Amino acid sequence: MAVLSEVEFLRLQLRRLYEETPALLHAIDGEGRIELVSNAWLEHFGYSRNEVIGRRSSDFLDEKSKKYAKEVVLPAFFASGVCQDISYTWVCKDGSTRDVFLSATYESNEAGEYVRSLAVLRDVTFQRASELRAERERALLEQVFESASDAFIL
């Protein structure tokens, strides 16, 4: 049985903590490929670890979100080192989509060069659906009040 050094042991413990944290987390390496992902992320989006590790995170975005990431988000992210609550549409393994907010920060080496990014996602699909329903209902009520021929007294 091999004995782990203290550094190797700590690295394994941190990886385990990252993977088992009940949050939607992923880490992207310097080549832009997913190197770590939490179990919650995998379960939420329906993928296995083998289907995710080594792929680009953009592989999981719909076309509109990919374009937005490439043209707007990534240039700003690499300039500032952080992004907060970026709205994306994430594609699940079964083809369904989820509205998510992604926040990330990046790690750099001693020379200040990008090493990896660490991201957390929040699924806001149901929140967005509720907001859309409320907005439609409000618009409908406004239309009813504006088109009514008789006066309403509230």
Side-chain angles (χ1 to χ4, degrees), residues 60-129:
F60 303 98
L61 298 176
D62 74 351
E63 291 305 315
K64 183 179 174 186
S65 293
K66 282 181 191 180
K67 183 177 184 197
Y68 180 59
K70 182 179 179 181
E71 295 175 2
V72 178
V73 177
L74 291 175
F77 176 71
F78 287 115
S80 69
V82 67
C83 63
Q84 185 80 26
D85 288 336
I86 304 301
S87 179
Y88 286 134
T89 300
W90 213 260
V91 180
C92 300
K93 183 176 180 177
D94 67 6
S96 64
T97 58
R98 299 279 189 195
D99 294 323
V100 300
F101 283 161
L102 180 143
S103 297
T105 187
Y106 77 66
E107 295 179 4
S108 55
N109 60 21
E110 287 135 14
E113 300 165 325
Y114 172 85
V115 174
R116 82 180 41 82
S117 68
L118 304 170
V120 61
L121 292 84
R122 278 187 305 123
D123 188 332
V124 294
T125 303
F126 297 114
Q127 176 185 340
R128 284 259 171 95

Side-chain angles (χ1 to χ4, degrees), residues 134-154:
E135 186 159 322
R136 282 193 301 263
E137 289 171 4
R138 183 186 56 74
L140 179 62
L141 282 173
E142 283 179 9
Q143 186 179 21
V144 167
F145 281 122
E146 288 174 7
S147 65
S149 60
D150 294 329
F152 282 97
I153 298 174
L154 297 177

